[in-house]
Amino acid sequence: MGSGHPLAYPLTVTIGALAVCAAWAPFGTLDQLAAITAVAIGIIGYTGYRLGIAYGVLPFWRSGQARTVRVTRIRQQHRLTSRSWLQIGGTGRPRWLPVYFDPILTTHTETEAELTDRTVHSAGQRLYPSGRIRDTEPQGRLIDNPSRPDPDAIARTAEATRVRHRLLLDAQSTVAAPIAALLWVYLDGGGLPAFLAATTIAAAAAIWLAAIRGSDPT
């Protein structure tokens, strides 16, 4: 899997989050080690579930047959969340499918797509679902792609997809990490070392959750 693959970034962040957990594990008490292990198991399990949907091992909906539909890419902004969705027509009623960010999405206009219950191909390229299809419109502000491809989209996308830039955007969700750490220290004790460990693990888990759900850097 190359660095430009849509799943390269979420997998890299997943490995980073697990590395943070592993780095603190040798220094924890039994209770702290149990908590770290639970976080690591949760990361592994949920990542496996998301990858199962992305790669077609698990269905993202149950259509019963392949069909050709019309799709439009929209970008969702809701609180600290930014995700890419495909708005799907031709299935009886509008549906929305979250997908992992792919640079091709920035120049994606309304087009036909081949849709099964496990895969979606649009503009001759496979897109990777980041969750199940839904019948209700995603919450927050929904921004449609322009009706014509933006000539500057490729240059802006190259800047937006840099790992450092994506990490900075996803790090917005870490604002609650110190609060979670204080709660852990209050319940289990451990002082400053426990607070630092809990803060970094909570921050790593928050960034991982944003990435594995399919954050959009644009």
Side-chain angles (χ1 to χ4, degrees), residues 64-83:
Q65 60 183 354
R67 62 179 69 188
T68 300
V69 296
R70 301 292 296 180
V71 296
T72 304
R73 181 253 183 162
I74 57 174
R75 181 164 56 87
Q76 174 199 28
Q77 288 183 326
H78 179 56
R79 299 175 182 171
L80 299 178
T81 299
S82 179
R83 301 176 72 186

Side-chain angles (χ1 to χ4, degrees), residues 28-81:
T29 64
L30 287 178
D31 287 343
Q32 293 166 352
L33 180 59
I36 293 173
T37 301
V39 171
I41 292 174
I43 290 174
I44 294 171
Y46 193 61
T47 298
Y49 168 74
R50 289 284 180 171
L51 293 181
I53 291 179
Y55 280 112
V57 178
L58 301 173
F60 57 80
W61 75 316
R62 299 191 180 280
S63 62
Q65 60 183 354
R67 62 179 69 188
T68 300
V69 296
R70 301 292 296 180
V71 296
T72 304
R73 181 253 183 162
I74 57 174
R75 181 164 56 87
Q76 174 199 28
Q77 288 183 326
H78 179 56
R79 299 175 182 171
L80 299 178
T81 299

Side-chain angles (χ1 to χ4, degrees), residues 165-189:
H165 177 79
R166 298 192 70 171
L167 286 174
L168 286 174
L169 290 177
D170 289 344
Q172 296 179 86
S173 58
T174 65
V175 293
I179 299 175
L182 284 174
L183 179 61
W184 173 256
V185 172
Y186 174 77
L187 294 174
D188 190 64

Side-chain angles (χ1 to χ4, degrees), residues 96-119:
W96 290 265
L97 176 68
V99 291
Y100 284 102
F101 178 77
D102 189 314
I104 195 176
L105 292 172
T106 60
T107 58
H108 195 286
T109 57
E110 184 179 5
T111 186
E112 289 187 347
E114 296 294 328
L115 190 69
T116 72
D117 59 352
R118 295 175 185 266
T119 61

